[in-house]
Every structure is written in structure tokens, then in C-alpha cells.
């Protein structure tokens, strides 16, 4: 015959149960699922959001089917608006060639910087830079690189003045305008290299 538990044993047992320890303790509650904190997409996410990974090209031996043929039999109790029984041919257009994200970024950079350099040349920055490079003689490359670094750094500082709440179109236009001097210097430097215009 076992003796009834004493006050100390009951107190220790209750303490262990409250702490969830021991053979009589209830099982621990399941851990809540771990969720990633949500954040708003920043400029980098929005810039590359439209670029999808290139789809895998079919093998040379695998022929892309541009059509599919199905045969449907309409049951007698089918409503009149359903497809008529018979053979149905579906034509699927072939997928176009996917542009790689790197090529799309290069194309976009060339378009933006090219138009900025053209406008910079048209408003007079290009001829002034070209004449400064011509007057500097053998130090033209060093002067051109220094002008490019100063123009690029100045444009970067100007872009920091754009508020974070600005819409994407404003940011894109401000980036284009801020890079106008550096793109013009780069064009003048490219045209000043020996044999560029011959």
C-alpha cells in the first residue's frame, strides 16, 4: 500500500506541471508558423519586376506542336450552348525568342544614356567638352575621365535629393536628367579617341 503524497510532493508536482515538465505535463502547444515580414518593393524590385527568366528552348529534336486536335462527343442531355460534337482543332502560336535580362538591361541603359548624350550635345555640353579635350593635348584621356567622374558624382548627389515618395516616372526622369552631363562627357571622350571619326 502506497502512502498518500505529502504537501511537498504535491507542491513540487504542481510546480512542474505549471512549467510543463514531467510525465504528467500536457504536450507543448504547436509552434506558430514562421512568416516572412512583408515589405514594400523598393526601386530595385520595381526595376527588375518585369524581367522574367528566359524560358527553356525546346530541344532541336523536339518539334513544337502548333496545333492540338480533340474529339468531343456531345451527350444527348447537354445544353444547346455547349460545343458541338466533332473534331476541334486549336492553333497555338509559337513562342517568340525570349530576351535575356542582361541584354534587356544593356538595351535600356544604351537607350537612356544615348538620348541623354544626344540632348547634352545639342544644348552645347558636347562641343565645350570636345574643345576642352582637344586643348588638353596628351592629357585628354585623363581630363575626360576626371570630367566623367565629377559629372557622375554630381548626378548621384542630385538624385539623392529626390524624395522617397516620388513616383517611378519622376525618378526615371530625374535619373535621365542627372546623367545628362556624364553621358555627354562619355560621348565626347569616345569621339575624341584617335581614329574614332576616320
Amino acid at each position: 500500500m502506497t502512502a498518500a503524497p505529502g504537501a511537498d510532493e504535491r507542491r513540487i508536482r504542481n510546480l512542474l506541471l505549471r512549467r510543463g515538465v514531467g510525465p504528467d505535463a500536457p504536450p507543448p502547444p504547436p509552434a506558430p508558423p514562421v512568416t516572412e515580414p512583408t515589405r514594400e518593393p523598393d526601386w530595385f524590385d520595381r526595376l527588375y519586376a518585369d524581367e522574367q527568366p528566359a524560358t527553356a528552348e525546346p530541344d532541336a529534336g523536339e518539334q513544337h506542336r502548333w496545333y492540338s486536335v480533340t474529339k468531343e462527343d456531345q451527350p444527348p442531355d447537354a445544353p444547346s450552348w455547349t460545343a458541338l460534337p466533332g473534331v476541334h482543332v486549336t492553333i497555338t502560336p509559337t513562342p517568340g525568342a525570349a530576351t535575356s535580362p542582361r541584354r534587356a538591361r544593356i538595351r535600356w541603359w544604351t537607350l537612356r544614356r544615348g538620348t541623354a548624350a544626344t540632348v547634352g550635345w545639342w544644348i552645347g555640353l558636347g562641343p565645350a567638352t570636345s574643345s576642352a579635350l582637344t586643348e588638353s593635348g596628351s592629357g585628354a584621356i585623363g581630363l575626360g575621365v576626371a570630367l566623367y567622374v565629377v559629372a557622375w558624382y554630381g548626378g548621384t548627389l542630385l538624385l539623392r535629393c529626390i524624395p522617397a515618395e516620388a513616383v517611378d516616372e519622376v525618378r526615371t526622369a530625374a535619373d535621365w536628367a542627372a546623367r545628362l552631363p556624364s553621358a555627354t562627357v562619355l560621348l565626347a571622350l569616345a569621339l575624341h579617341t584617335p581614329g574614332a571619326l576616320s
Side-chain angles (χ1 to χ4, degrees):
M1 183 170 137
T2 60
D8 290 336
E9 291 178 15
R10 286 193 305 266
R11 191 182 59 194
I12 294 296
R13 182 172 177 258
N14 287 337
L15 180 66
L16 291 175
L17 283 175
R18 275 192 305 232
R19 303 232 174 156
V21 180
D24 297 332
V34 178
T35 58
E36 289 288 329
T38 58
R39 65 177 180 87
E40 290 192 29
D42 57 356
W43 66 271
F44 188 80
D45 296 331
R46 289 191 300 268
L47 181 65
Y48 294 107
D50 58 343
E51 295 180 1
Q52 300 297 328
T55 57
E57 293 292 325
D59 295 337
E62 179 184 339
Q63 187 71 15
H64 178 70
R65 294 193 54 176
W66 56 273
Y67 66 93
S68 63
V69 178
T70 57
K71 183 176 182 185
E72 296 181 11
D73 292 327
Q74 186 176 14
D77 58 346
S80 60
W81 50 266
T82 58
L84 298 175
V87 176
H88 298 277
V89 177
T90 304
I91 297 175
T92 308
T94 58
T99 305
S100 69
R102 181 173 178 255
R103 183 170 288 187
R105 282 194 305 269
I106 291 172
R107 187 179 301 148
W108 180 240
W109 185 89
T110 305
L111 176 69
R112 286 177 21 188
R113 298 305 185 251
T115 55
T118 304
V119 170
W121 198 278
W122 181 68
I123 63 174
L125 287 176
T129 305
S130 182
S131 66
L133 291 175
T134 304
E135 291 172 4
S136 64
S138 62
I141 301 297
L143 176 66
V145 170
L147 286 174
Y148 176 77
V149 169
V150 168
W152 180 85
Y153 186 70
T156 303
L157 290 179
L158 285 175
L159 285 177
R160 290 188 182 179
C161 298
I162 304 297
E165 299 83 21
V167 293
D168 291 336
E169 290 79 11
V170 171
R171 288 191 167 279
T172 303
D175 177 61
W176 180 86
R179 300 299 179 205
L180 196 136
S182 61
T184 307
V185 169
L186 192 63
L187 177 63
L189 188 60
L191 293 176
H192 189 74
T193 56
L197 298 176
S198 58

